[in-house]
C-alpha cells in the first residue's frame, strides 16, 4: 500500500552525486584504483537508464544539471515543489576491502528526524532485495554515514533520499548500470503503487 506521503508525488528529481567540476570545493567521489572509473561518471550512466525506465512507466522525471551538492540543493529548492516532488541523489559506495559478497549491495539513506522518510526508505530497501540486490542491502539514517549527516538529506525542502547503487569497485559495464537502474526504477514504482513494466 502506498505511503500517504507519496499520494501527492507526481514528479521524480534525479541528481548524480559528486558533480560540479567547476566548483572550487569539488570532491570527485570514489575512484576505482584499478580501472580509474569515477563515481560521478558511473552514476550518470545509471541515471540515464533510470530516467528512461521511470518515464516508460508514466512518471515525470527531471535530471538536474551536473552541479555540486550545495548548488544542486539550492537549484532544486528554488525550482521544484516540496509537496509534489521526490528527490533522489544517486551514488556508488566505496570499500577498501571489496569482496564478491558485496556485489549488488544497495542502500538508501533517510532523514533521522522523519518517520515518513525512514518508512519510505525501508520500503525501497526491501524492494531492492526483491529486485535482485544483495540481502545485505540496507536503509540507514544519514547519521550512520561516514559524514555523520548528509547535505542532500538535510538541505532539500522536499522528500529526499540518497541511494548507494553498488560499489565503485564492482562491474562498470552496461550490465551493472542496467541492473542498478532496473532495481531503483522497480522500487520507486512499487513505493508509488505503479505496476512496473520493462
Amino acid at each position: 500500500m502506498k505511503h500517504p506521503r507519496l499520494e501527492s508525488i507526481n514528479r521524480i528529481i534525479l541528481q548524480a552525486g559528486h558533480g560540479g567540476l567547476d566548483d572550487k570545493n569539488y570532491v570527485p567521489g570514489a575512484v576505482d584504483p584499478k580501472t580509474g572509473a569515477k563515481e560521478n561518471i558511473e552514476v550518470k550512466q545509471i541515471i540515464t537508464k533510470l530516467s528512461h525506465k521511470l518515464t516508460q512507466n508514466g512518471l515525470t522525471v527531471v535530471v538536474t544539471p551536473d552541479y555540486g551538492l550545495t548548488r544542486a540543493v539550492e537549484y532544486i529548492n528554488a525550482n521544484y515543489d516540496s509537496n509534489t516532488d521526490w528527490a533522489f541523489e544517486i551514488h556508488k559506495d566505496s570499500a577498501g576491502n571489496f569482496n564478491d559478497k558485496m556485489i549488488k549491495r544497495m542502500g538508501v539513506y533517510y532523514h533521522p528526524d522523519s518517520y515518513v522518510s525512514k518508512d519510505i526508505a525501508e520500503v525501497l530497501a526491501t524492494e531492492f532485495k526483491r529486485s535482485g540486490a544483495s540481502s545485505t542491502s540496507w536503509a540507514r539514517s544519514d547519521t550512520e554515514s561516514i559524514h555523520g549527516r548528509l547535505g542532500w538529506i538535510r538541505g532539500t525542502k522536499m522528500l529526499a533520499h540518497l541511494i548507494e547503487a553498488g560499489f565503485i569497485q564492482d562491474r562498470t559495464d552496461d550490465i551493472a548500470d542496467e541492473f542498478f537502474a532496473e532495481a531503483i526504477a522497480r522500487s520507486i514504482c512499487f513505493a508509488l503503487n505503479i505496476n512496473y513494466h520493462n
Side-chain angles (χ1 to χ4, degrees):
M1 188 171 75
K2 188 191 297 188
H3 192 285
R5 174 63 181 85
L6 299 177
E7 291 291 343
S8 63
I9 297 299
N10 60 28
R11 182 164 52 190
I12 302 296
I13 312 296
L14 300 175
Q15 170 75 25
H18 300 290
L21 283 169
D22 58 343
D23 188 333
K24 65 179 180 179
N25 298 314
Y26 175 68
V27 178
V31 178
D32 187 331
K34 293 180 181 177
T35 67
K38 294 178 176 61
E39 181 178 359
N40 178 255
I41 300 300
E42 287 197 31
V43 295
K44 282 192 283 191
Q45 293 169 333
I46 292 169
I47 283 175
T48 297
K49 293 176 181 290
L50 172 58
S51 174
H52 178 69
K53 291 175 186 299
L54 293 174
T55 301
Q56 278 188 316
N57 280 275
L59 288 164
T60 299
V61 180
V62 173
V63 177
T64 60
D66 196 29
Y67 292 148
L69 175 62
T70 301
R71 192 173 176 194
V73 169
E74 290 172 352
Y75 175 83
I76 288 168
N77 286 341
N79 291 283
Y80 299 104
D81 192 311
S82 60
N83 294 312
T84 61
D85 296 331
W86 187 5
F88 292 90
E89 187 172 59
I90 311 295
H91 286 256
K92 287 185 81 74
D93 213 337
S94 60
N97 297 309
F98 185 79
N99 61 65
D100 287 347
K101 292 181 181 179
M102 299 163 79
I103 291 175
K104 295 187 178 179
R105 191 180 85 179
M106 300 176 69
V108 55
Y109 284 108
Y110 58 82
H111 197 298
D113 298 334
S114 169
Y115 287 112
V116 169
S117 180
K118 178 182 179 182
D119 289 348
I120 294 170
E122 288 175 346
V123 168
L124 292 172
T126 297
E127 288 308 306
F128 292 161
K129 295 173 192 176
R130 288 183 186 169
S131 297
S134 165
S135 62
T136 60
S137 297
W138 48 263
R140 295 177 184 160
S141 162
D142 75 341
T143 58
E144 296 182 63
S145 73
I146 61 171
H147 306 289
R149 56 189 286 132
L150 298 170
W152 179 261
I153 300 294
R154 304 299 180 106
T156 49
K157 294 179 181 177
M158 62 196 63
L159 180 65
H161 290 92
L162 187 150
I163 291 175
E164 298 280 5
F167 291 83
I168 193 69
Q169 293 97 332
D170 64 15
R171 299 180 67 185
T172 59
D173 59 17
D174 283 346
I175 295 172
D177 293 344
E178 180 70 22
F179 170 79
F180 292 117
E182 182 86 5
I184 297 168
R186 284 182 177 275
S187 299
I188 291 172
C189 286
F190 179 86
L192 293 171
N193 200 27
I194 295 170
N195 290 325
Y196 183 81
H197 301 287
N198 288 328

